[in-house]
Amino acid sequence: MSHFAFGLRPLAFFLLVPVAVFTFAFSLLIGHFLSEPLTRLAARLRDFRTGDPAPTTIPIDGRIEEVDRLTVSLNRLSETIRTQQESLASRESRESTFVSDVAHELRTPLTAIRGNAEMLSDPDLPPAMREKFTGIIVEESRRLSNLVNDLLALQRLESGNIATEFSRVDLGQVAREVVDSLSPLLREREANCQVIGEAPDVLGNRDRLKQVVFNLVENASRFIEPGGHITVELMGARGNSVLSVRDDGCGLGDADPKLLFDRFYRGDPSRNRGTGGTGLGLAIVKSVVDAHDGMVEAFNLPDGGACFLVAIPSIA
């Protein structure tokens, strides 16, 4: 009996051909089934790497468990990268705006100093005018010094190092010390200031918390009429030590209270930079309070005036 190569009978060979074809086609189908999700993943990652603005979330088709797990991991990685990119872009925008604002704020006193110094170079200037221009230079120099000091304070706060200097702090004692230290300024501005109430101790940086109270009380003293009142009140509430600074001045006007804590924010004309502040005092307050895991809010009082409220977690 004749045989084909490899000893196969003719009938067996003709039966094997369609089986082989079917097996090959089935293998291609299985290969496509297994590789298609991975190919889709690779294409989506390639788009993401090249900056494709389309959504980066890859849908889960549920066909292969291992591929689904990989898809979940890649989606999480994609979301993390996207969040970091948005945070970086926001930070760069804030830094750019901050540099622009600082340049603007520095330009104003420097221009005044230069202009008045040039006027003083006139040998025929009357003594009264010479005294006036000298006073302006001194005042603008003081303002410039305060601005630089506040910028340095913000830089130190944002470096995150103050958390290593925490200790037990009595906010009531801090408030009384601040009011005592501000008494000459308060008398000059004819401001009546009192500290009432008590609050539980907090874990914090004593010097920075004094700066918070100092900035709030000094800020309030700028916006009250002669003979006006400032009240610093302390209390405990829901596990927090609460300190409020109220005044009976012009209030916040129509300004968005949240924007008051932005650097160099210019709000209602009645509370503008003409009061002599650097525009950084409330930004420093918020940075300090944030570093203490607290919150700070501002609002208008029903009977007029403004209230700034600080809450910091109490020590049990």
Side-chain angles (χ1 to χ4, degrees):
M1 184 181 299
S2 62
H3 292 78
F4 281 79
F6 307 108
L8 295 176
R9 298 176 181 273
L11 181 60
F13 175 78
F14 288 114
L15 289 175
L16 184 60
V17 169
V19 172
V21 171
F22 174 79
T23 302
F24 179 71
F26 186 74
S27 299
L28 289 178
L29 181 62
I30 293 296
H32 175 75
F33 178 83
L34 294 175
S35 65
E36 192 272 337
L38 295 175
T39 302
R40 182 164 48 84
L41 283 177
R44 196 65 196 86
L45 289 175
R46 183 170 59 252
D47 293 340
F48 179 68
R49 188 178 65 250
T50 57
D52 181 9
T56 57
T57 300
I58 305 171
I60 299 175
D61 58 20
R63 286 185 288 176
I64 303 176
E65 182 179 357
E66 289 75 9
V67 175
D68 291 344
R69 292 178 181 176
L70 178 60
T71 302
V72 170
S73 298
L74 291 176
N75 282 337
R76 290 175 179 172
L77 177 61
S78 173
E79 179 64 22
T80 299
I81 294 174
R82 186 184 63 82
T83 301
Q84 291 176 344
Q85 288 176 335
E86 292 178 352
S87 176
L88 181 60
S90 177
R91 179 178 178 181
E92 290 177 348
S93 177
R94 290 196 306 270
E95 290 178 349
S96 176
T97 301
F98 180 56
V99 171
S100 176
D101 288 341
V102 169
H104 175 79
E105 294 297 324
L106 291 175
R107 185 184 299 114
T108 302
L110 288 174
T111 300
I113 291 171
R114 178 178 178 179
N116 286 277
E118 290 175 349
M119 295 296 294
L120 287 175
S121 65
D122 183 357
D124 299 326
L125 191 68
M129 297 299 294
R130 188 177 300 274
E131 182 178 353
K132 175 184 177 181
F133 294 145
T134 301
I136 293 176
I137 291 175
V138 171
E139 177 62 23
E140 292 299 324
S141 298
R142 182 194 62 79
R143 178 183 172 189
L144 188 60
S145 177
N146 290 340
L147 177 59
V148 171
N149 289 336
D150 283 349
L151 287 171
L152 291 175
L154 270 178
Q155 190 276 329
R156 287 193 296 267
L157 287 169
E158 294 181 353
S159 67
N161 294 328
I162 71 168
T164 61
E165 305 168 5
F166 279 12
S167 61
R168 193 181 192 99
V169 179
D170 180 351
L171 287 180
Q173 182 180 1
V174 165
R176 288 185 287 272
E177 290 177 359
V178 168
V179 172
D180 288 343
S181 67
L182 280 172
S183 57
L185 176 67
L186 295 173
R187 283 196 299 270
E188 177 185 339
R189 296 178 179 174
E190 301 181 38
N192 300 295
C193 185
Q194 63 174 338
V195 179
I196 61 175
E198 293 291 339
D201 291 352
V202 300
L203 184 65
N205 183 296
R206 182 181 180 82
D207 291 338
R208 296 306 178 198
L209 291 174
K210 286 186 69 173
Q211 190 172 22
V212 167
V213 183
F214 183 98
N215 287 6
L216 291 178
V217 174
E218 195 273 340
N219 180 73
S221 71
R222 297 177 184 273
F223 304 105
I224 59 174
E225 298 294 332
H229 298 81
I230 302 171
T231 301
V232 181
E233 184 174 7
L234 298 112
M235 67 185 73
R238 298 180 180 180
N240 292 311
S241 297
V242 181
L243 179 145
S244 66
V245 178
R246 305 192 302 271
D247 66 67
D248 55 5
C250 60
L252 306 177
D254 296 328
D256 184 345
K258 294 181 180 179
L259 297 179
L260 292 174
F261 301 98
D262 289 350
R263 300 163 175 171
F264 305 120
Y265 173 71
R266 292 173 176 79
D268 188 85
S270 63
R271 299 180 72 92
N272 63 16
R273 200 61 41 76
T275 57
T278 63
L280 294 172
L282 295 180
I284 291 175
V285 167
K286 189 174 189 313
S287 292
V288 173
V289 174
D290 287 347
H292 287 77
D293 295 327
M295 54 80 66
V296 58
E297 293 183 352
F299 51 88
N300 286 307
L301 295 172
D303 298 329
C307 178
F308 287 83
L309 189 142
V310 173
I312 296 175
S314 307
I315 295 179

